[in-house]
Amino acid sequence: MARLVLKFGGTSVANLERIRNVARHVKREVDAGHQVAVVVSAMSGETNKLVGLCREASLLHDAREYDAVVSSGEQVTSGLLAIVLQDMGVEARSWQGWQIPLKTDAQHGAARITDIDGDKLIERLEKGQVAVVAGFQGVAPDNRIATLGRGGSDTSAVALAAAIRADRCDIYTDVDGVYTTDPRIVPRARRLDRIAFEEMLEMASLGAKVLQVRSVEMAMVHGVRTFVRSSFDDPDAPQLGAGGLPPGTLICDEDEIVEQQVVTGIAFAKDEAQISIRNVADKPGVASAVFGSLADANINVDMIVQNISPDGRTTDITFTVPESDYDRAFAVLRDKKDLIGYQAIEGARDVVKVSVIGMGMRSHAGIAARCFQGLAEKGINIRAITTSEIKISVLIDSAYTELAVRTLHSLYGLDG
């Protein structure tokens, strides 16, 4: 017998038919003798509808009332799933974030989890009751509902799994696992049986949309084995596949992966923009003025390249920001022109960041050289480069996205 947390996203609970399918997945685990807690998102499209109503009511709405409105979608889903489970003969009860309680900080609309008391849930689970928990929400220090930001249900599920000491957290989604890259771009992409926490964190932060970044961070910190699988698989299908697991991908410690590939996957992010500041004085404090001004405006900077002129007097600074912050970043830097002292500012939106990720890169030389050579042979120019122990990211023109991804996927032997 195991203790499991099952999480179902919006497409999995989009209507009553799909909620009944979810209930069959839950009942299968209960019938197998497992203790089960379920975390659900709002029905597909419901949160967007509620956010739209808040904005229509007032562009300057109170964040606390915004949370009261947008959290109601998960409350509806959790209640409906509990009703369907009861109709199937499964003892189930819905729980809201404040009832657990799942405590958050005071940042309404984008709260972070500070503590979860899992004792009451554990007591109910040990008595055979299924807990159906509304994801995406908790209770703030002001004793009001707080929401965790978009994608927060994944984070709720992993945090809950840590709090109740679950053996595994199963994330049911509309894909059947984590692939070596996007199968829509590379049809020969392979589903991974296992991937290390660090690799999944890089994949999620560099463009893979399977899991929310904060949920992977939490899983890694608390050592929560997380399993990505499809909610559209037949609930009655055989549950044992590779390694004694159902079809899907297990995210786990590196120690659990026997055969470690040099490169695990290729990720890409299209929501990037490039900004270049030309002919800046090469002296202490200039970089601080540039990036401090952007930090004060809450704009994240990713890739940074600095080129010093031959005479050592001026430098060009190139960096990337999220495409959604491009116009705001330009405005901030224009306002700070006198402080920074640049001659010109340029930018480009038509760029994409392509990343090569793998734990095996720590102990293998020449991975970066092969990447650069492979792209050069295809005539793909690199605008910027960043590296870490387990990833290489290059910024290229967006027109070459598919060619670059396919080239690197084949180059590192990832084609299935």
Side-chain angles (χ1 to χ4, degrees), residues 360-381:
M361 292 167 61
R362 287 174 173 166
S363 55
H364 287 75
I367 303 301
R370 290 177 65 194
C371 170
F372 305 149
Q373 181 180 352
L375 295 177
E377 288 173 355
K378 297 294 184 180
I380 301 172
N381 185 49

Side-chain angles (χ1 to χ4, degrees), residues 5 116 156-166 169 218 222-224:
V5 172
I116 300 180
S156 299
V158 173
L160 187 68
I164 66 172
R165 301 181 292 280
C169 178
M218 187 162 289
H222 295 284
V224 177

Side-chain angles (χ1 to χ4, degrees), residues 127-156:
K127 291 179 179 178
Q129 186 178 96
V130 172
V132 185
V133 180
F136 176 61
Q137 61 173 252
V139 57
D142 59 6
N143 210 35
R144 298 188 63 87
I145 294 172
T147 61
L148 307 180
R150 300 311 292 266
S153 291
D154 282 353
T155 307
S156 299

Side-chain angles (χ1 to χ4, degrees), residues 8 12 21 25 28 171-177 191 227-235 247-249:
F8 294 90
S12 304
N21 185 65
H25 281 289
R28 180 195 65 231
I171 306 289
Y172 286 79
T173 181
D174 52 1
V175 296
D176 62 350
R191 186 180 67 206
F227 192 70
V228 179
R229 59 186 301 186
S230 174
S231 62
F232 301 116
D233 287 345
D234 183 355
T249 302

